[in-house]
Amino acid sequence: MFDDLPPDLDRLRTLRVWHALWVQRIDAKIAALQRRQTEEESGRRRRPRPPEWIVELGIGADRSPVQVHAGDCHMAGRRRRAVSRDEARRLLATGLEGCTHCRPGARLHIIELSTRRSQIAVRRVRTGRRSRRATDDRLAGRPAGSEAAAGP
């Protein structure tokens, strides 16, 4: 056995007090870490599930929807709200843009939406910029090239 301890009683008692204080500090640290771990575990269990679908909202007083995203999409902005699957489908069907990264139209199995948008994109590429009349028709809610828009 190693006998590297001091030979006198006073120094041995001092060492005993010193080590008892260190054991208390170590026990307190262990208890704090155990408390933290149980809090983190209970927080993980109580955390609400992320929404399945979200809508990114615009800026301004009306905060109208801008894009539909999957709930786990990293491209969604900070202004958003959770929506149901049916509402996400309805918003996409009414013409709201879907995110190009998470592709909600494909995830929701809306096939005609993706083909319709690609046809619109091809048409825009072929014609270049929109004409002034087409833009005016769109803003007025008339179909492009309508008789009422022809004017003088």
Side-chain angles (χ1 to χ4, degrees):
M1 182 166 137
F2 296 107
D3 197 13
D4 57 349
L5 295 173
D8 58 316
L9 191 58
D10 287 337
R11 287 194 286 177
L12 284 172
R13 286 186 178 144
T14 303
L15 282 174
R16 188 174 196 291
V17 168
W18 169 264
H19 286 287
L21 290 173
W22 269 101
V23 167
Q24 284 178 346
R25 286 184 66 191
I26 291 169
D27 288 344
K29 184 69 172 187
I30 288 171
L33 288 174
Q34 286 175 337
R35 262 192 319 275
R36 183 186 302 166
Q37 283 180 346
T38 44
E39 287 172 1
E40 286 175 357
E41 288 172 13
S42 67
R44 269 189 235 111
R45 283 192 305 266
R46 284 190 248 152
R47 181 178 298 145
R49 294 184 62 181
E52 191 175 357
W53 302 100
I54 53 178
V55 172
E56 186 175 351
L57 302 172
I59 299 174
D62 63 341
R63 298 183 67 141
S64 58
V66 177
Q67 268 189 336
V68 177
H69 296 270
D72 59 351
C73 182
H74 65 279
M75 294 301 291
R78 290 186 178 163
R79 295 177 311 273
R80 56 182 161 184
R81 69 177 167 87
V83 294
S84 66
R85 181 180 185 88
D86 293 334
E87 187 174 355
R89 289 178 68 92
R90 183 186 58 77
L91 288 170
L92 287 170
T94 58
L96 189 66
E97 289 286 322
C99 175
T100 57
H101 293 273
C102 63
R103 304 182 63 104
R107 286 190 185 186
L108 288 169
H109 305 292
I110 303 176
I111 298 170
E112 63 210 33
L113 181 66
S114 59
T115 58
R116 183 171 34 132
R117 284 208 181 121
S118 63
Q119 290 170 353
I120 291 171
V122 167
R123 201 174 318 134
R124 283 187 185 156
V125 169
R126 284 186 194 151
T127 60
R129 296 175 69 196
R130 289 188 198 165
S131 68
R132 178 88 170 148
R133 179 170 290 168
T135 305
D136 292 343
D137 288 343
R138 185 181 56 82
L139 291 175
R142 295 184 297 255
S146 65
E147 294 298 320

